[in-house]
Amino acid sequence: MTLRGLTKRYGDDHAVRDLDLEVSEGEFVCLLGPSGCGKTTTLRMVAGFVEPDAGSVVIDGRDLSSVPPHRRPTSIVFQDYALFPHMTVLKNIGYGLRTQRVPDTEARRRVGAMLELLGLENLGDRYPNQLSGGQQQRVALARSLVTEPKVLLMDEPLSNLDAKMRIRLRTELRQLQKRLGLTTVYVTHDQEEALSMADRIAVMDRGELQQYATPHELYHHPANRFVADFIGLNNLLPARCDLVRGGEVLLRLDDGQAVTAAEDARGHVPAPGDRVLLSMRPEDLTPAPRDEPAGAAGSAGSANRISGKVVGHQFLGALSRYLVRVADQDVLVDEYDTTGPGTAGEITLTVPASRIRIFPDS
Amino acid sequence: MTAVAPRPPRVRPAPPGRASRAARRLVREPVTLAVTLFIAAVLIVFVLWPTVNVFLRPDAEHWSRFLGSARMWDVARNTAVMTLLSTVSATALGFLFAYALSRPDIPGKPFFRIMSVLPLVSPPFVIGLSLILLFGRRGLVTYELLGLNLDVYGLPGLWAVQTMAYYPVAVLVLTGVLRRQSPALEWAGRDLGHGWWGIFRTVTLPLAVPGLASAGLLVGMYVLADFGNPLLVAGSYRVLAVEAYHQVVGTFDLGMAAVLCVALLVPTGLFFWLQRAWLERRSYVTVTGKESTLDPVPTPAPVRGTLFGLLCVVSGFMLLTYASVFAGALTKTWGVNWTLTLQHFEYTLLRAGDLTNSTLYAVVAGFACAVFAVLAAFFIQRRPLVGRGAMDMLAVLPGALPGTMIGIAWLITFHTGPLAITGTALIVVLMMTVRTLPVGYRSGVSALQQIGPSLDESAQDLGSGSLRTFRTVMLPLMRTAFTAAFIYAFVKSINTLSAVIFLVSPGSQLASVSIMGLAEHGYWGEATALAAGLMLVTFAALALFRLLTGGRVKLFEL
Ligand SMILES: Nc1ncnc2c1ncn2[C@@H]1O[C@H](COP(=O)(O)OP(=O)(O)OP(=O)(O)O)[C@@H](O)[C@H]1O
Ligand SMILES: [Mg+2]
């Protein structure tokens, strides 16, 4: 499936702007972004509920622009499931087969297989209001799957469930998708969900695509400041570029401390004198008392030492999280060895040059 | 506030043991006691007593005469056929109308909505009147334009008139039902491969079935109880309400009239009960917040065109109806001499007192209804009363009683005996008050539900007595409910016919009753001028209401 230059305006505001996206067969893609960034609108344009102002949706080489929703090879699972309240589970699931002129016996077989696949065997005669949230979710999924869509669309299908259920269904859903080899576009604003399920994630902000990459790439090589800030925790420190030399970028924090970053082929390469933002993950910063030489991380040359002062500390069980004041900015630092007494006061943070990303400061 | 659905509020029965405590508290509060006794007395005397009398009045002889008469069986069958036909057609038309109004891509909806509400705020018999003007023996369309000699009197005419007069009731109920359907369900149907017709057949329509049944029962109640239209256009096709009327005015056989009332009341009561108790719980509520930005599914162009055409035809017909009434009022002799004249208006507005009486009585009744409804709502809902469930029931009961039946019941009860007040203006005003009480009471109750008991309790805590709490805290908060009850009662009272026709006397003649007499004798000019006058006063009152409330409160969806 390919989206080309997809654009939708409501009034003067762009809900989605010039969106290009390519989804390979059998791939599980998450649309991720903050509320109101245009995820649902994108999905609805793919399903055909919303007419794009520009751009096209192409599936299997076929442009769907003039194809109405009921003839598209897509099927959507709604956020609140939209199960028909006046039909039993069986009728709900079989609903899409009626228009496909599937013979009765064949239809019954397929619905039965679907019930079995999703563990709904005993619930066929119930009405939606007699089902739990998780069961409703599975019925909605079955109703879409039974029509054998080329692309399955899901709009925050787990957001109405409690946390435990969400994690369980997440795994089930992903396994099912892999087993069926189903091309899937999954909308969520929960980054953990996206990171754990997706083959690739499309991060959106204010209607525009920010980055489209694997979860690993996204986390470790965010393409811009928004993605760096949005995915996981990140520290953003303003600095100035002094010199670019032999694969290294020499920088200076606002309080004069020098920091060296490795030049990132995929990242931004500043010119000397540019204002930039350094981004560092809390887990890449290793704290040590000021007078002690930094631990194993300090394999000389590529590691930076930054001074700061601990102003806060949270014990979170698996890790200790410090709030450290560096160059008048607050920096989060995670320490994974929590057996010791922890550090306080003036400390030194060690960070490998390769773990620092650089973004232009606008 | 809905104009057509006085829903009985749910009153929790007081647990045992509470009653005696309630009684003790009442004695300690003399004002509460006095007001409560007053409310109870009014409800018992004017609602319960006459209703019971209708059942007690006929003796075995009346019943055997009724059951043994082939003519009465004909009347009963006529009524059933007429009710069934009109209810089905009015509900179906109302559904299509409401469906069209619920679609986003149909133009001109505000106009069509107003057209669908007009019949609710004008005298229902206006439609019958205009049918005769347009399609009657000397009808403008049939006789003048087409040269036909058509007879509209009878079942076909009545069927058409009642369909047009009561489809708005179905529209009112069903727009609410359709509005509550989540667009996501239609989209889901679309996504799973169904076109417009498939979705309509498998999703939209089945989901609306409880609403349709509810609307149908309500329409049935109105059609069954309707009196003015059958009197005007049914001709020799007798129905129960008209037959009861003739039993009273023709032979003054109150026993037989009472038997007919009971026959009328049984199905009406059944419809009322079914509609409230059973269907209300069966509706599919499909509102969900999540998919709220989803617009309704677009309608295909041919369907859109058809629906738009239907809206135009029905609304055009409605316009024609009202235009013909005004035209009739301005024409010298309809069907004979088409010269324009103001003489009918002059006669009805200036010389005859009917319209003035109607207006005056409706104002008094509107005021009385609003005061009593708000008072009753407060004391029945918020004060520890003995038998409040019963009082609550009595307050909404008049909504289930056909007008003809109440009228005859009052005639039986107040013609002789301790409270012989027939022939006075008082009884007419009282009748108007009682008949509009259920809706006023319900609007008072729903206003109270929004206020919450803590406010009233805190006022009491600070030392206010019941009446003072009511005056200083509740009344200001219930002002909107009060205004709405007043206007509703005014509009309904000024146009009412079926009950008051039994109670008016030469000194207290009403416009609606006069119109019937004038029409019966072919005085079309005067009849239509009076009807036009009624409508003008009504519309003016509604405009005033809008002005007073700044459009915040909807009355008849206007
Ligand atoms: N029917 C509509 N009319 C007007 N504006 C709309 C409509 N639908 C969406 N929008 C606007 O378009 C923007 C994108 O909305 P969209 O529903 O796609 O966001 P989303 O990413 O799904 O957000 P969420 O995570 O809250 O569901 C929002 O600013 C929204 O207000
Ligand atoms: Mg959304």
Side-chain angles (χ1 to χ4, degrees), chain A residues 39-40 79 155-156 187:
Chain A
K39 309 178 294 278
T40 299
Q79 188 171 1
D155 191 355
E156 310 201 19
V187 162

Side-chain angles (χ1 to χ4, degrees), chain A residues 70 76 79-80 86 95 160, chain B residues 190-191 202 288 290-291:
Chain A
H70 57 292
I76 193 165
Q79 188 171 1
D80 52 9
H86 59 297
Y95 186 82
N160 285 341
Chain B
R190 197 120 242 255
D191 186 60
T202 59
T288 51
K290 299 282 167 34
E291 315 284 356

